[in-house]
Amino acid sequence: MKVSKSEEYGLRLVMSLATDGGQLAIRELAEREGLPEATVAKVIGRLRRAELVEAVRGRHGGYPLSRPAESVTLAEVVAAFDDALVITDFCRRMTPGDADCVRAGSCTLRPVWRGLTAVIGDFLSRITVADLISGSVGAAPAFVPISKFNAQGSVS
């Protein structure tokens, strides 16, 4: 799994909004997180499109979370920036010139990448922003042998 800067910034901003319990302006968020205002504005825009934060206009405007921190998962925040939690173009990167992989029909690695995606997605969907703030993030899920994953990446 590769976490982008935008995803990390998104998580930090969501946690900052949840910690404050109210709404903060772009300037306030930028100061708290030590980020440029333009970067914060871009990240907040992605979070708004994902309906994780709202915009409140006016003199006392700002950006509050759209739902309580107890109901916002890390998977949702990460998905606001990219819906692929692990590298999904592995097969394409292994073949020159965008050709179809010669092992596409008999690939034994594809279920590994799909299984890894399922495990990461499940783990992140069980952690809320409130869990992060309170420090009550649980341990990683128990290991599931690759043989338990079907072709779609789900546990069978």
Side-chain angles (χ1 to χ4, degrees):
M1 175 177 174
K2 183 177 179 181
V3 177
S4 70
K5 284 183 182 181
S6 295
E7 291 163 339
E8 183 174 341
Y9 295 161
L11 288 165
R12 287 174 45 191
L13 294 176
V14 166
M15 287 180 9
S16 192
L17 290 171
T19 301
D20 185 72
Q23 62 192 33
L24 295 169
I26 298 288
R27 179 184 39 76
E28 294 169 309
L29 284 165
E31 287 173 7
R32 283 184 179 202
E33 295 301 325
L35 298 170
E37 286 186 31
T39 299
V40 171
K42 181 179 175 182
V43 171
I44 287 291
R46 297 290 294 265
L47 294 170
R48 281 188 67 205
R49 284 189 290 282
E51 299 180 357
L52 296 173
V53 298
E54 299 173 338
V56 176
R57 295 182 183 263
R59 182 177 181 158
H60 301 288
Y63 297 91
L65 291 179
S66 60
R67 302 189 321 258
E70 295 80 9
S71 69
V72 178
T73 68
L74 270 58
E76 291 177 293
V77 177
V78 170
F81 299 92
D82 187 9
D83 53 7
L85 295 173
V86 295
I87 299 170
T88 57
D89 66 343
F90 178 80
C91 296
R92 279 180 270 138
R93 290 185 304 120
M94 297 304 292
T95 57
D98 290 332
D100 289 336
C101 179
V102 296
R103 293 174 191 88
S106 62
C107 182
T108 57
L109 287 174
R110 193 170 297 166
V112 173
W113 307 137
R114 287 185 179 141
L116 181 59
T117 299
V119 169
I120 292 170
D122 181 56
F123 182 63
L124 293 179
S125 69
R126 288 191 264 147
I127 301 172
T128 67
V129 173
D131 293 333
L132 283 180
I133 292 168
S134 70
S136 63
V137 175
F143 175 74
V144 178
I146 295 301
S147 61
K148 298 287 183 185
F149 288 95
N150 60 28
Q152 288 73 42
S154 302
V155 178
S156 51

